[in-house]
Amino acid sequence: MSAKHAIVLTGLMSCLLSLGACSNSPWAQSLERSIAADPRLQSSPSASPSSGETQAQLPANFPAEIPRYPQAELVQVTPSTGLNSATQPGETQSSDTQAGGTQSGETQSSGTQTQWATTNPAEQVQQFYQTELNRNGWQLTQPATPGQPLTATREGLQVTVTVPPTIDPSRTLFSIAYQFTDTAQALPSPTAGTSSGSSSGDVPQPGDPNFVGPVLPGNSVAQQPGNSANPTTSPVATAFTDLDQAPAQLRSYIVDLEQLNALPLQGSNAAKSGANEFKPNQAMTRREYARWLVTANNLLYANQAARQIRLAASTEQPVFQDVKPTDPDFGAIQALANAGLIPSPLSGSTTTVTFRPDAPLTREDLILWKVPIDTRQALPNASIDAVQQTWGFQDAARIDPQSLKAVLADFQNGDQSNIRRAFGYTTLFQPKKSVSRAEAAAVLWQFGTSTDSITAKDALQGGTKPAPVGP
């Protein structure tokens, strides 16, 4: 700023101050109002919270049926007047809406809106909810398009997920608004207050026979009154510390299997204990897949002994030259060979004398070992043309002839096929490509066919937690 401009500005300010010295003059009062801080900004809910502000708590009636995005943080809970009028993440409702009023021509409906934050991009969050709602029996009433709400209903519950385009690349805000179409199922939202003459103690809490709100698995204590634990940082209790590194579409499979003790990280078919890294994007080894395959099958069919795979005893004669009885995974690997589920001299593959336990598992072996357990019958004859016509794989000619049969049989399961569950839509099978640990977990989440199957979630909901498989 030049010296001349500085002198002019200084003189102007002096003049304004002298004119406004008489605080009772209308002009002075007008000047004071024009430069005063906007009171709306002082009370804005978007302002940074003070150090003593309590963290948002999940409503007691938040339905367990609504998928929870892994590692998302709950930011805010507000009452809403209908899902169609739900605010965008980061916005606040008008005063008349917060007071329970409705606009002319609108119908009042009670609901709750929760706002969340995650470091993942908006597209990933949107894809997660579209996949999970479809997979868990929700009826989509409003299809998901980028930046537009996703609305779905299920058994008297309506939910709207809004994921606007990400503005801050390091942080995505999204909202989940829900309401019970059957008002008898709804509990008062903790942010809505209580009516005159009632207290928060009148609201049924977990453990009360009148309590109808869900308690998330592993978090029953966290929602008890007076407990300051915050269950919103993770959808369910999990011992894996790096689950956020897994593809969003595969995380729920990993969580269900981990809750079932079906992913032992140690040999000898021992269940894992304590916190561990799952390393979801690391290549799966052949020994690990053999261990998980036997463990998962036996846990899912814990009540059906005829469908379980008998572990081999350490006194048996080894089938493979490189898997001795002292190997920690001998019981599982030998068991698969004994059952004729993997190529070995026992099944007529006289040249397959080694197992290569520490080699990466390929996609074609992933399907070859799993599909016979699903179908419980001999694999059908298959040709390259048949696989090309069904799956549309451009590289069908590169698939091993034995694996080709399993790939064709897997197609009969439609959307429940192992290939679609692990790899999504693809026109390239890439049979020699290594399988990640997350992809292997997706395959092991379900056993059976489209007409007779069981999932890890089914096993968890069946009552008591099955005991881990041991030698």
Side-chain angles (χ1 to χ4, degrees):
M1 180 183 296
S2 65
K4 180 178 180 181
H5 290 166
I7 294 173
V8 172
L9 180 58
T10 302
L12 179 60
M13 293 300 295
S14 299
C15 181
L16 289 174
L17 292 174
S18 63
L19 290 173
C22 183
S23 60
N24 294 327
S25 66
W27 185 90
Q29 294 175 1
S30 176
L31 176 63
E32 182 180 358
R33 287 194 301 269
S34 67
I35 63 176
D38 189 342
R40 294 174 297 178
L41 297 178
Q42 297 174 355
S43 61
S44 172
S46 62
S48 300
S50 61
S51 59
E53 185 178 350
T54 59
Q55 191 172 9
Q57 295 294 318
L58 195 69
N61 70 339
F62 189 88
E65 299 93 327
I66 299 178
R68 300 268 298 281
Y69 192 81
Q71 307 302 326
E73 177 186 0
L74 181 64
V75 176
Q76 187 178 29
V77 179
T78 58
S80 63
T81 58
L83 299 185
N84 291 334
S85 60
T87 57
Q88 294 285 332
E91 295 180 355
T92 57
Q93 296 172 321
S94 62
S95 59
D96 60 334
T97 301
Q98 293 175 347
T102 57
Q103 298 294 330
S104 176
E106 293 183 353
T107 302
Q108 176 81 21
S109 61
S110 177
T112 302
Q113 177 170 291
T114 58
Q115 295 187 358
W116 306 76
T118 178
T119 57
N120 294 334
E123 296 80 5
Q124 187 170 322
V125 177
Q126 183 97 355
Q127 180 62 42
F128 170 83
Y129 277 100
Q130 184 165 2
T131 300
E132 289 300 299
L133 292 174
N134 269 316
R135 188 168 65 87
N136 291 305
W138 289 79
Q139 182 179 0
L140 301 183
T141 59
Q142 182 172 329
T145 56
Q148 297 299 317
L150 171 63
T151 301
T153 59
R154 173 183 169 183
E155 299 177 355
L157 176 64
Q158 183 177 354
V159 62
T160 292
V161 180
T162 305
V163 189
T166 302
I167 299 177
D168 181 357
S170 63
R171 190 169 187 255
T172 295
L173 292 174
F174 64 97
S175 71
I176 302 175
Y178 63 93
Q179 66 182 22
F180 299 91
T181 55
D182 179 2
T183 56
Q185 299 181 22
L187 286 176
S189 170
T191 61
T194 56
S195 60
S196 175
S198 64
S199 65
S200 60
D202 296 331
V203 178
Q205 299 294 334
D208 191 314
N210 296 322
F211 178 73
V212 294
V215 178
L216 298 180
N219 287 318
S220 57
V221 178
Q223 296 191 23
Q224 292 287 348
N227 195 314
S228 60
N230 179 20
T232 65
T233 56
S234 179
V236 291
T238 176
F240 295 136
T241 59
D242 56 352
L243 188 62
D244 58 333
Q245 298 177 18
Q249 298 87 344
L250 306 183
R251 291 175 187 170
S252 62
Y253 301 129
I254 300 171
V255 170
D256 287 346
L257 288 168
E258 187 270 339
Q259 291 288 300
L260 197 64
N261 279 341
L263 301 177
L265 301 184
Q266 306 298 326
S268 300
N269 296 285
K272 63 169 193 58
S273 60
N276 292 282
E277 288 186 347
F278 181 69
K279 301 178 181 179
N281 301 312
Q282 179 174 295
M284 187 78 179
T285 65
R286 290 165 61 88
R287 74 161 61 246
E288 286 176 318
Y289 186 58
R291 181 197 315 152
W292 290 5
L293 181 59
V294 174
T295 303
N297 176 82
N298 291 359
L299 284 175
L300 265 64
Y301 291 112
N303 299 322
Q304 301 182 53
R307 296 197 175 192
Q308 295 188 6
I309 301 172
R310 302 286 177 86
L311 293 171
S314 59
T315 55
E316 291 190 25
Q317 179 67 29
V319 175
F320 301 108
Q321 297 175 359
D322 54 353
V323 182
K324 304 296 183 182
T326 54
D327 189 293
D329 292 309
F330 173 81
I333 296 172
Q334 183 91 356
L336 292 174
N338 287 342
L341 296 171
I342 59 176
S344 76
L346 296 178
S347 62
S349 300
T350 56
T351 58
T352 310
V353 295
T354 59
F355 181 73
R356 298 178 295 116
D358 296 315
L361 179 74
T362 62
R363 287 187 172 188
E364 61 183 4
D365 284 340
L366 172 82
I367 303 303
L368 176 63
W369 300 4
K370 173 66 164 35
V371 171
I373 305 179
D374 290 330
T375 62
R376 307 280 168 169
Q377 60 185 9
L379 295 175
N381 292 327
S383 65
I384 296 174
D385 289 341
V387 171
Q388 288 177 333
Q389 291 174 9
T390 53
W391 282 107
F393 290 149
Q394 303 175 44
D395 53 356
R398 296 175 54 199
I399 303 175
D400 181 82
Q402 191 68 16
S403 299
L404 207 63
K405 299 178 181 180
V407 170
L408 183 61
D410 193 45
F411 180 80
Q412 304 304 318
N413 280 336
D415 288 341
Q416 298 183 41
S417 66
N418 297 287
I419 292 174
R420 288 193 174 100
R421 192 161 60 252
F423 311 125
Y425 174 75
T426 178
T427 63
L428 290 172
F429 182 57
Q430 303 182 70
K432 312 302 180 185
K433 184 177 180 179
S434 299
V435 176
S436 72
R437 294 162 67 89
E439 291 168 341
V443 164
L444 298 177
W445 181 81
Q446 180 174 2
F447 282 76
T449 64
S450 58
T451 57
D452 179 19
S453 65
I454 185 172
T455 67
K457 178 172 289 187
D458 295 333
L460 288 171
Q461 294 175 349
T464 58
K465 190 173 183 178
V469 176

